[in-house]
Amino acid sequence: MAADARHPLTPTVPGADGPTAPHVGLAEPARDARPTGRAGPTGAAPLRGHPHPEPAGGPVATAAHPAPEPVPLPDTAAPLDVPQPLIAHGCWYPSADPDGRNVAFICDRTGVPQLWAGPVDGGRLHLLDADPDPVIEVAWSPDGRWIAYTTAPGGGELTRVLCVRPDGTMRRLLAGGQPGSSAHLGCWSPDGSAVAVTVTEAAPAGLAHTGSDGPTATTDPPVPAHTGGWTGRDGHAVLLGGAPLTVASHQEATVVRGSRPAPSEGPGHRTLAAYLVDPEGGTAPVLLASEAAAPTLRVCALSRDRELALLRRGPRGRREALVVRLRDRAVTGSLRVADGDPWIGGFSPDGRTLWLRSDSAGEFAALVAVRLGPQGQWLGRRVAAARPGCDLELLALDRAGRSAALSWNVRGVSELEVTTLNAAAPDGDGAGLPEPHAAAGPSHAFTLPHEVVTRVAPTPVADGPVVALSGSRRRPGVWWLHQGAALRTPWSSRDEDAVPPGRPPVRPVPLRPVARDGLALGGWYYRAPGRSPEEPAPCVLHLHGGPEEQERPVLDPLYHELLGRGLDVFAPDIRGSSGYGRSFVDADLGAGRFAALDDVADCAAHVVVEGLADPRRLAVMGRSYGGYLTMASLVWHPDLFRTGVAVCGMSDLTTFFAGTEPWIAESAAHKYGHPERDRALLRALSPMSRVDALRVPVLAVHGEHDTNVPVGESEQFVRAARERGLDAELLLLHEEGHEFRRADNRRLFRRTAADWIQRHLTS
């Protein structure tokens, strides 16, 4: 079995034979990332050169907030000739400079996802931050002076936001340096003088908001409601929180209020607060919005006059776009938006049209235009661009706000176009206009060399964006769409470097299984090289996470490892997956999860009936929600699979809710059920409640810093399996959280998993 001293393969399970696993704590911040300790402002300080008038009735009263401050850090930039052990590497998440000729991006050529920058057409490449903390997001400032980015210290779930000059100097921490805190990157201000960050902080008491009837003190900042119309659940699962709230009418400068009960005090009670931070520290941070017990809060765009902010908030399955008027922090309107990419839209140059990627109008996400009044009030909306049966997956406005790149998800494959945006002309206060006059104009479609677009970085040339692509035959790379041609950046891996020589990647074929209740499912089948088409093969069902993720035809090194062992792979999309419409996503809510468990068995039956898979040599594996499905499938369908590999999965939904992050629990309650009101349902859905039915060997894999799904979820399932005399082991990956980001850990994981499955399917 592939393991080493740094990554113990059981025994590490408490109660099992052998030593007990050491306590796993959260990653500590780097020693040079200590906060200065200076208290932040008590209210919203004005942006540089843009004083905000006080709202009618006096200033907004707030409790003191520990606003983030820039903290200088040692420069860690490195030249191009740093050690580069990986020939086949990935490049992703590009962000272009104002000229569009240079790109900051994430690359794992050193074995860790780090921040790099270089010209799109060749030239010197720079490693801007050589620290070993994985980089997650990148944003180049509109003025070209700074690059902001998010890192995950220790590979864990707590993140921090930094910035650096394009030459690698003046690196500094913007937010997230305090122990136990976390920070997330938002948008830049249009002039590049400040960047938005969202930080976690203790929930303030007595935070007040202003409304049409004057200030109103609350113990819990009220939460805007979704727009209703959610698919009902036959399991009677109840959402966290109280009755739905409503958004104030546009005639009032009112922050949303309602009867939602304040969350209980305790270690899980936190506030998300969004600030504008000057990287140079010349002006005080500006508080934009805050929400107690919030699962997410991200600043996605600011209007050019810096009067309005677009925020994305809410748990998965119930995301909302909010427009906040900055001078009084009043919410002027909200609209349901699709899950997936958090960058949901932006403003027209005059701030009178809001462009959103939203599924509020139907089953699939589309480009929606919202008409705004002079005070930010919502006057109406309409669909500006849509495709039947396809989600708008990515929306990226150029910095001028006059064109947008639209990436459509067409049965798992991306189609990209750039369209002009015809915003409505201002005409008084817009009273009496039932719908906006904005629309998408002529568009230009691109021919892509690979199947899936993962990120679009607009440039000053409307039809020349920089895009991140993944495909079934390549590592993730960055391409420049220049004058109608797709040009691979010279620092991205070549297609021929995607895999070792002699092991060509496999192009998958789409399958459409049908569930026992008649629901059409989906997925991709990978046939091991050299196998006769008529020969039933040992097959691994790989179940994705989410549940709202979707299988895409991209090169997965894990699949490549399994295929190289002579194992076929079927990666299905069961109910709950994205890409098939909102009703399909919501079809597994509450007691609908029992049908999702049946979908796994139905997908296995489909590949057997089609003559692809050998019914005597089936395995199941998956990560996160897929790890839960793996454990659940092994106990719900104990005679179907020979073995399973559960990665970062939940084995008991009750202990999961007790141990996970509180904001993750709120999102999970929407999917699975309320941890108190739906205890019987959660117990019935938990693999541990049926563990006596487990009959086959199981391998669990977990990251030691995972606070999304705590490592105890894997430990208790492995312990229960071993108590029943079964072969069960746990591989604990160091310096990893819920995602495995380090190349050596990913390699160890896939080789260990492939060894395990091969041994149990071929014995």
Side-chain angles (χ1 to χ4, degrees):
M1 185 59 58
D4 59 28
R6 293 181 58 251
H7 305 273
L9 196 61
T10 46
T12 60
V13 183
D17 295 335
T20 300
H23 174 71
V24 175
L26 297 179
E28 293 294 326
R31 63 178 180 270
D32 56 358
R34 292 187 297 270
T36 60
R38 184 172 64 85
T42 59
L47 279 172
R48 182 166 53 207
H50 187 69
H52 289 305
E54 291 183 356
V60 178
T62 66
H65 281 23
E69 296 180 19
V71 178
L73 301 175
D75 294 337
T76 60
L80 179 62
D81 57 356
V82 297
Q84 299 178 37
L86 297 182
I87 298 175
H89 57 270
C91 297
W92 63 95
Y93 215 100
S95 182
D97 72 354
D99 296 330
R101 301 305 298 267
N102 294 280
V103 176
F105 58 97
I106 302 172
C107 182
D108 63 355
R109 65 172 65 224
T110 63
V112 180
Q114 292 174 306
L115 178 65
W116 294 74
V120 294
D121 54 356
R124 186 169 179 79
L125 195 64
H126 296 276
L127 175 59
L128 300 183
D129 187 343
D131 276 359
D133 294 334
V135 176
I136 300 171
E137 293 181 307
V138 181
W140 207 312
S141 67
D143 61 4
R145 300 174 63 241
W146 293 99
I147 298 171
Y149 56 108
T150 306
T151 67
E157 303 306 304
L158 301 182
T159 57
R160 59 182 189 168
V161 176
L162 301 92
C163 68
V164 69
R165 295 289 196 192
D167 62 359
T169 63
M170 298 185 67
R171 188 175 70 112
R172 53 196 58 197
L173 173 69
L174 296 186
Q178 294 178 323
S181 68
S182 194
H184 304 277
L185 181 63
C187 68
W188 283 93
S189 63
D191 63 358
S193 63
V195 64
V197 296
T198 299
V199 298
T200 58
E201 56 188 32
L207 183 64
H209 293 285
T210 232
S212 57
D213 53 355
T216 302
T218 67
T219 58
D220 180 33
V223 182
H226 61 68
T227 56
W230 305 107
T231 299
R233 287 175 288 177
D234 55 5
H236 307 294
V238 182
L239 301 182
L240 291 174
L245 310 181
T246 57
V247 177
S249 64
H250 65 259
Q251 289 87 359
E252 301 173 336
T254 307
V255 170
V256 183
R257 292 196 292 266
S259 58
R260 179 187 177 200
S264 60
E265 296 292 339
H269 189 203
R270 67 155 197 180
T271 288
L272 284 180
Y275 294 89
L276 275 177
V277 178
D278 175 5
E280 299 186 20
T283 59
V286 180
L287 175 64
L288 299 179
S290 64
E291 180 182 348
T296 58
L297 185 68
R298 185 187 292 254
V299 183
C300 295
L302 296 168
S303 62
R304 186 159 299 190
D305 60 6
R306 294 179 293 190
E307 291 286 347
L308 304 174
L310 170 64
L311 274 63
R312 174 183 178 265
R313 68 162 299 280
R316 68 186 193 214
R318 294 181 289 151
R319 308 288 191 197
E320 286 183 308
L322 303 182
V323 170
V324 175
R325 190 169 52 230
L326 296 185
R327 68 171 178 269
D328 55 7
R329 294 199 293 280
V331 177
T332 65
S334 69
L335 185 67
R336 187 180 74 195
V337 294
D339 284 327
D341 187 67
W343 304 104
I344 56 176
F347 296 96
S348 63
D350 63 3
R352 299 293 293 275
T353 300
L354 174 66
W355 303 96
L356 288 174
R357 183 181 62 85
S358 170
D359 59 359
S360 61
E363 281 285 312
F364 293 89
L367 177 63
V368 174
V370 179
R371 183 80 167 95
L372 303 177
Q375 303 301 314
Q377 65 269 33
W378 291 40
L379 306 178
R381 66 178 186 269
R382 74 176 183 187
V383 174
R387 290 194 184 185
C390 299
D391 271 319
L392 177 58
E393 187 172 35
L394 299 174
L395 168 63
L397 277 65
D398 70 355
R399 287 189 171 127
R402 303 186 186 280
S403 68
L406 311 178
S407 180
W408 301 92
N409 182 345
V410 184
R411 295 176 295 279
V413 176
S414 299
E415 293 185 5
L416 181 68
E417 63 181 353
V418 171
T419 183
T420 57
L421 299 177
N422 300 320
D427 45 7
D429 61 3
L433 293 177
E435 293 213 354
H437 298 297
S443 63
H444 169 69
F446 294 92
T447 300
L448 301 174
H450 296 285
E451 293 96 324
V452 179
V453 178
T454 62
R455 178 82 175 157
V456 181
T459 68
V461 180
D463 61 350
V466 175
V467 298
L469 298 177
S470 288
S472 59
R473 294 167 297 164
R474 68 154 297 107
R475 298 273 179 169
V478 176
W479 294 69
W480 182 28
L481 305 183
H482 178 59
Q483 297 180 351
L487 305 177
R488 181 184 61 85
T489 54
W491 23 268
S492 294
S493 283
R494 301 171 299 172
D495 290 352
E496 54 266 33
D497 295 330
V499 295
R503 293 181 57 191
V506 173
R507 181 191 291 272
V509 296
L511 293 184
R512 292 288 281 172
V514 177
R516 63 191 65 183
D517 61 1
L519 182 65
L521 310 175
W524 298 86
Y525 196 90
Y526 298 76
R527 192 71 163 167
R531 175 166 290 116
S532 168
E534 294 80 20
E535 178 189 355
C539 181
V540 180
L541 260 70
H542 187 275
L543 306 168
H544 64 65
E548 306 90 341
E549 293 177 14
Q550 180 189 10
E551 279 294 335
R552 310 298 290 274
V554 299
L555 178 64
D556 188 323
L558 171 63
Y559 296 177
H560 188 71
E561 184 76 32
L562 294 169
L563 293 164
R565 309 291 185 95
L567 307 171
D568 283 10
V569 176
F570 179 41
D573 288 319
I574 66 172
R575 70 191 68 205
S577 305
S578 61
Y580 302 85
R582 175 167 286 277
S583 293
F584 193 90
V585 171
D586 289 345
D588 68 344
L589 297 181
R593 193 141 333 270
F594 293 113
L597 295 176
D598 287 337
D599 288 348
V600 178
D602 294 340
C603 287
H606 179 81
V607 294
V608 168
V609 171
E610 290 294 312
L612 298 168
D614 183 345
R616 299 164 300 176
R617 294 184 292 169
L618 294 176
V620 62
M621 72 176 300
R623 194 193 68 82
S624 190
Y625 176 68
Y628 158 79
L629 282 178
T630 296
M631 290 184 278
S633 297
L634 293 177
V635 298
W636 256 267
H637 310 289
D639 298 318
L640 184 57
F641 300 104
R642 291 268 298 270
T643 189
V645 178
V647 185
C648 300
M650 307 95 73
S651 61
D652 187 318
L653 294 177
T654 301
T655 57
F656 161 71
F657 272 107
T660 188
E661 306 280 5
W663 49 98
I664 294 175
E666 183 172 352
S667 289
H670 172 65
K671 300 299 296 186
Y672 307 116
H674 193 285
E676 295 180 357
R677 304 185 188 111
D678 297 312
R679 288 181 180 177
L681 175 63
L682 296 180
R683 188 181 309 113
L685 286 169
S686 295
M688 286 296 294
S689 68
R690 300 171 62 100
V691 73
D692 285 339
L694 183 65
R695 301 177 185 176
V696 299
V698 62
L699 170 67
V701 185
H702 226 106
E704 66 172 348
H705 293 161
D706 190 351
T707 58
N708 184 327
V709 177
V711 69
E713 294 298 305
S714 288
E715 290 174 341
Q716 63 192 6
F717 195 78
V718 169
R719 180 172 60 247
R722 297 181 71 175
E723 289 172 350
R724 286 155 179 80
L726 298 171
D727 185 9
E729 297 185 9
L730 169 63
L731 174 65
L732 189 67
L733 295 177
H734 292 300
E735 296 185 275
E736 300 288 4
H738 197 59
E739 303 282 347
F740 303 159
R741 296 189 170 98
R742 301 178 186 276
D744 56 346
N745 285 343
R746 295 197 304 270
R747 188 181 306 111
L748 174 63
F749 154 60
R750 62 179 180 261
R751 290 178 179 175
T752 303
D755 285 345
W756 180 273
I757 293 174
Q758 185 179 26
R759 174 158 59 93
H760 288 94
L761 287 192
T762 59
S763 60

